[in-house]
Amino acid sequence: MSMIRDLRAVVRPSRPSLRKGVRMDGGAYDTTRDPGTPSAVVDCAVYRDGARVETPLPLTPHEAMRQVRRDGGFVWIGLHEPTEAEFAGIASEFGLHPLAVEDAVQAHQRPKLERYDDSLFTVFKTIHYVEHDRLTANSEVVETGEVMCFTGRDFFITVRHGGQGSLRALRHRLQDDPELLAKGPSAVLHAIADHVVDGYIAVADAVQDDIDEVETDVFSPGRKGSPRGSDAGRIYQLKREVLEFKRAVSPLLRPMQLLSERPMRLIDPDIQKYFRDVADHLARVQEQVIGFDELLNSILQANLAQASVAQNEDMRKITSWAAIIAVPTMVCGVYGMNFDYMPETHWKYGYPVIMMITGVICLGIHRTLKRNGWL
């Protein structure tokens, strides 16, 4: 049972901060297929008694499965964006269900858990935080990928889509713990689930920083050089990215609960209880993401309310100055009619008196409006 106690340490190493540009696998994400690999197969290995069986030449899936059927153990095959033709041979070799094969090749699937005959088909959405100096209305905050897993009695197949979410570092960590790998494919499935959910936690922390930044900007008094309402585009863009994050997290909760609660022939009982820990962490992330969505709604409404208040203040100022200017306009209009018989038109002090009265009236209106908060 010491292996079980160390399970979290193996599959859940210390989590780096994504805001510092560190990848979850400790290195650069795979963006292209290995030039030396003629197919979509990234790695193919046989594991027996918790250790990788070393071979002089890379194994093909057919050779690996033949070894497993002859000597025991299980085979772990990793693929990256295989075509239908590339995946057809593997699907036939391992007896994968056509519907699951179609989903794995086409990608863009909703996170789910399905059982087909003697195998489990699991879909995970991976999330990668996109670094940016400052959030703008066009900033990409999260980037998604997919990992599909086929779990059988003596095989485990991963199909990865997207340029991020490499499982190479996770494979190496698992290979460093023979006791864990000896539990078979279900241990690998748990490790991947835990790895993906840990990625969600790290991304959620980074998105929280972005939301805090936007919230501070919206409620900061006296900002200079920022057009009114300019934050609405940033908030809306961040809300769209949070929605994409939510689509990856929420549908996965039910599959993790099923893996932790329902006995399954393909899941080792010692490993199954640890899916409950993954489900708990996933539920926490889901609550966090829902909170992000609600908070952004409130921030957006506050921003729009601020813009509306600012517009009302502008209109009051414009109206106030229009009222002040109306007085000299009226006076000039009256005395600009050029009639011969008008009061005070030939009076020596008429001009200065009229100007003084006009000024006093304008000053009185100005003081009254300022006292009432219109200016």
Side-chain angles (χ1 to χ4, degrees):
M1 295 301 292
S2 62
M3 179 278 297
I4 299 299
R5 298 191 197 98
D6 296 337
L7 181 62
R8 284 175 56 86
V10 174
V11 300
R12 184 175 293 169
S14 59
R15 187 168 57 252
S17 172
L18 290 184
R19 289 191 63 84
K20 297 181 180 179
V22 181
R23 311 296 194 192
M24 286 302 296
D25 60 359
Y29 287 104
D30 294 341
T31 56
T32 59
R33 205 172 287 167
D34 186 352
T37 304
S39 69
V41 178
V42 177
D43 199 353
C44 177
V46 173
Y47 295 88
R48 190 176 301 118
D49 298 326
R52 178 169 180 154
V53 177
E54 298 297 335
T55 57
L57 295 175
L59 292 173
T60 66
H62 175 72
E63 294 170 340
M65 197 60 195
R66 188 170 56 185
Q67 281 195 22
V68 167
R69 288 166 179 164
R70 183 184 64 235
D71 303 322
F74 74 95
V75 57
W76 180 1
I77 303 173
L79 301 99
H80 181 234
E81 297 184 353
T83 64
E84 185 176 352
E86 289 173 323
F87 199 41
I90 296 176
S92 176
E93 179 71 33
F94 293 93
L96 304 180
H97 196 279
L99 291 177
V101 172
E102 181 181 1
D103 288 347
V105 172
Q106 292 183 354
H108 305 295
Q109 301 298 316
R110 188 173 183 267
K112 60 184 178 179
L113 170 67
E114 294 178 342
R115 180 171 180 175
Y116 292 103
D117 301 326
D118 293 328
S119 66
L120 293 176
F121 178 61
T122 315
V123 177
F124 298 96
K125 284 276 191 182
T126 57
I127 297 291
H128 164 54
Y129 179 77
V130 180
E131 293 291 334
H132 46 267
D133 295 330
R134 180 170 176 78
L135 184 68
T136 67
N138 299 317
S139 295
E140 187 178 11
V141 179
V142 296
E143 192 176 68
T144 60
E146 292 178 54
V147 176
M148 285 88 160
C149 302
F150 293 88
T151 308
R153 182 180 58 82
D154 51 10
F155 66 86
F156 190 82
I157 302 171
T158 58
V159 181
R160 185 167 60 88
H161 291 268
Q164 49 86 23
S166 172
L167 300 175
R168 182 179 293 112
L170 177 64
R171 185 189 285 258
H172 291 165
R173 287 200 302 271
L174 288 173
Q175 289 174 174
D176 290 337
D177 192 330
E179 289 187 66
L180 177 59
L181 270 180
K183 292 294 182 179
S186 61
V188 182
L189 178 62
H190 168 268
I192 291 178
D194 196 61
H195 175 76
V196 169
V197 173
D198 270 0
Y200 293 166
I201 296 173
V203 172
D205 292 341
V207 171
Q208 178 71 67
D209 292 341
D210 281 334
I211 294 176
D212 291 343
E213 177 186 329
V214 170
E215 186 177 21
T216 300
D217 288 346
V218 168
F219 293 102
S220 292
R223 286 186 298 156
K224 301 294 184 181
S226 179
R228 288 170 184 165
S230 61
D231 289 317
R234 300 167 60 205
I235 299 170
Y236 184 71
Q237 175 65 14
L238 188 55
K239 184 174 173 60
R240 289 187 62 183
E241 298 294 300
V242 168
L243 181 60
E244 187 173 0
F245 192 4
K246 185 178 179 180
R247 290 193 187 114
V249 173
S250 296
L252 187 59
L253 183 58
R254 182 56 181 165
M256 292 300 100
Q257 291 174 341
L258 289 176
L259 287 171
S260 64
E261 298 170 358
R262 182 176 299 176
M264 296 186 183
R265 184 161 44 87
L266 297 173
I267 304 299
D268 188 286
D270 290 335
I271 297 296
Q272 185 174 29
K273 66 186 72 173
Y274 286 91
F275 279 105
R276 188 178 304 117
D277 179 69
V278 177
D280 289 343
H281 283 82
L282 188 61
R284 192 187 79 181
V285 175
Q286 184 189 34
E287 293 174 358
Q288 202 171 358
V289 173
I290 293 174
F292 290 163
D293 192 36
E294 295 175 352
L295 179 59
L296 286 171
N297 282 335
S298 300
I299 295 174
L300 182 59
Q301 291 174 2
N303 178 252
L304 295 177
Q306 286 179 337
S308 178
V309 169
Q311 290 174 355
N312 289 337
E313 290 178 354
D314 290 343
M315 289 302 299
R316 288 199 301 179
K317 290 179 180 179
I318 293 172
T319 303
S320 299
W321 284 111
I324 294 172
I325 295 173
V327 176
T329 301
M330 182 188 68
V331 173
C332 293
V334 170
Y335 284 91
M337 290 188 292
N338 297 321
F339 290 109
D340 288 336
Y341 300 100
M342 290 182 65
E344 295 88 26
T345 54
H346 299 288
W347 183 34
K348 179 179 180 180
Y349 300 104
Y351 175 75
V353 170
I354 292 300
M355 294 301 294
M356 184 178 64
I357 294 174
T358 302
V360 170
I361 294 174
C362 290
L363 181 61
I365 295 174
H366 182 274
R367 293 190 63 180
T368 301
L369 292 173
K370 191 166 187 178
R371 185 169 57 249
N372 291 332
W374 282 58
L375 287 173

